[in-house]
Amino acid sequence: MIVTTKQLFQTAYGKYAIGAYNINNLEQTMGLFRGNLDSQAPFIIQISSGARKYTHKLMLEGLIRSADEIFPEAIFAVHLDHGDEQTCYDCIESGFYSSVMIDASHEEFDKNIEITRRVVEAAHARGIVVEAELGKLGGVEEHVKVDEADAKLTNPDQAKEFVERTGVDSLACAIGTSHGAFKFSGSQGLHFDVLEEIQKRLPGFPLVMHGSSSVPQEEVARINAAGGNLKGARGVDENEFARAATLGVTKVNIDTDGRLVWTRVHREFFRDTPEKFDLRDPGKIFMAEYAKFIAHKNEKLGSAGTLEDVRRLAK
Ligand code: G3H
Ligand code: 13P
Ligand code: ZN
């Protein structure tokens, strides 16, 4: 059952965070639904602009509609991840998405507000909620390249002004994370001090943490042992999700970790069985491993076991 992102946020705020997982293909979709049902968790499916272009934007919609029929107990929202203004309008008009993210974080403060405000007006007119971003994460995003040195944490006073002036429904804050597998070079971690200040100014308002993959070291070691080259990859400590949730983080974005599961499964499969060439063989292993991974993440996020509560409140 597709619900609004807002409904999920209202149930979760302050208690746990909802996992927001990107999909690109059918194996990820099947593993995602299974993993969330195995752990009895609501979830958010994220579709990036890159995913929309990978085959065809309608292909992912078709996969999600089918998964909804195959797994009627699942409760989830469908979200555009890191959209530009035009892509947001396309998703709003499609009637399929529960929420969109307008990412104008590379623009100056006032320009970011102006663009976000326009998207909020269009989205709210259709009952769709909007996430925006303030501050700059490190790493590389779909259409934004930000040097590590240029990464800027969200300014809490600006966060309050931004939310008031845009009418946005949730805010992605830069609190030290970055996208991809190489997040921290030294002993950096999450800036809980910044998060606390933001929550003080915006009590009850859902915050979003991008770049939240934990890049498990065991996974990296297995990939490297099977021919990969991901030396020095590091991520967020997943044991910190619970504290972030009490400080208003209601949505946690995870994509890279799923890609690592895919890479490990396929590298090991072809290393160990070089005579095989049926794509379904590693695909089956991946779907099962991805489901296990999702269930584990939901335990860490605190969303595991909340599905029945969400169902009761959604009625
Ligand atoms: O934040 C970006 C997400 O990991 C999506 O990645 O743009 O390569 O699909 P993508
Ligand atoms: P990761 O690269 O840490 O998985 O972050 C994903 C993300 O923020 C998607 O918007
Ligand atoms: Zn992101």
Side-chain angles (χ1 to χ4, degrees):
M1 175 172 56
I2 301 181
V3 296
T4 73
T5 312
K6 200 168 193 149
Q7 263 175 298
L8 296 183
F9 286 168
Q10 278 164 350
T11 329
Y13 186 88
K15 292 179 281 190
Y16 60 88
I18 312 273
Y21 303 104
N22 293 65
I23 60 157
N24 293 271
N25 67 9
L26 86 86
E27 287 82 3
Q28 271 181 317
T29 309
M30 288 301 281
L32 180 64
F33 276 75
R34 275 190 200 148
N36 282 300
L37 282 183
D38 287 349
S39 55
Q40 290 289 290
F43 60 105
I44 296 171
I45 301 182
Q46 302 214 109
I47 301 179
S48 71
S49 300
R52 283 162 57 88
K53 287 184 212 133
Y54 174 51
T55 50
H56 190 283
K57 61 185 182 183
L58 294 179
M59 186 57 82
L60 294 171
E61 288 189 27
L63 281 174
I64 295 168
R65 284 187 214 279
S66 300
D68 193 23
E69 276 187 50
I70 299 166
F71 301 97
E73 289 129 54
I75 299 182
F76 60 97
V78 182
H79 177 77
L80 168 69
D81 189 27
H82 291 288
D84 59 20
E85 192 172 358
Q86 225 31 63
T87 311
C88 283
Y89 294 144
D90 193 61
C91 292
I92 291 165
E93 276 154 31
S94 80
F96 183 68
Y97 289 71
S98 324
S99 50
V100 294
M101 176 191 188
I102 170 68
D103 183 356
S105 60
H106 51 288
E107 302 283 1
E108 290 303 318
F109 186 61
D110 284 320
K111 186 83 182 160
N112 187 353
I113 289 180
E114 191 187 310
I115 297 168
T116 302
R117 176 77 227 153
R118 280 201 295 268
V119 172
V120 166
E121 270 167 21
H124 284 183
R126 301 282 298 260
I128 291 164
V129 296
V130 179
E131 173 184 328
E133 180 170 324
L134 182 65
K136 288 181 184 152
L137 278 82
V140 180
E141 300 178 4
E142 170 75 14
H143 56 288
V144 187
K145 280 198 170 65
V146 187
D147 271 351
E148 198 61 36
D150 187 34
K152 283 202 204 107
L153 300 183
T154 303
N155 173 312
D157 290 325
Q158 279 193 341
K160 182 174 160 56
E161 186 184 338
F162 185 90
V163 168
E164 286 169 356
R165 286 176 57 192
T166 57
V168 77
D169 304 280
S170 62
L171 186 67
C173 303
I175 55 162
T177 63
S178 61
H179 292 104
F182 300 87
K183 300 188 190 298
F184 306 115
S185 48
S187 57
Q188 308 99 317
L190 299 185
H191 290 257
F192 284 110
D193 50 338
V194 175
L195 204 49
E196 262 174 45
E197 291 303 316
I198 296 172
Q199 195 198 31
K200 262 190 220 158
R201 288 160 180 78
L202 291 168
F205 186 82
L207 306 176
V208 179
M209 206 163 89
H210 281 246
S212 302
S213 279
S214 54
V215 190
Q217 291 305 293
E218 195 211 320
E219 200 75 284
V220 172
R222 284 176 72 174
I223 289 170
N224 289 342
N229 182 9
L230 295 178
K231 289 183 186 72
R234 273 190 55 204
V236 172
D237 180 351
E238 61 187 7
N239 294 312
E240 295 193 319
F241 292 158
R243 183 170 170 208
T246 64
L247 294 172
V249 171
T250 318
K251 171 171 176 278
V252 167
N253 288 13
I254 298 172
D255 185 15
T256 295
D257 281 349
R259 296 177 179 197
L260 294 177
V261 175
W262 185 93
T263 305
R264 180 253 301 167
V265 165
H266 288 80
R267 280 198 177 278
E268 289 186 347
F269 179 82
F270 289 113
R271 177 195 62 189
D272 297 341
T273 52
E275 72 286 3
K276 296 241 176 166
F277 56 89
D278 185 344
L279 61 94
R280 291 171 297 198
D281 290 334
K284 265 186 246 166
I285 303 173
F286 171 72
M287 286 188 272
E289 288 295 296
Y290 194 54
K292 254 200 274 175
F293 157 78
I294 293 289
H296 167 78
K297 280 291 158 191
N298 292 338
E299 293 292 339
K300 295 292 175 184
L301 293 166
S303 62
T306 67
L307 194 60
E308 285 317 309
D309 287 348
V310 174
R311 195 185 314 284
R312 259 199 310 279
L313 292 162
K315 274 180 188 159

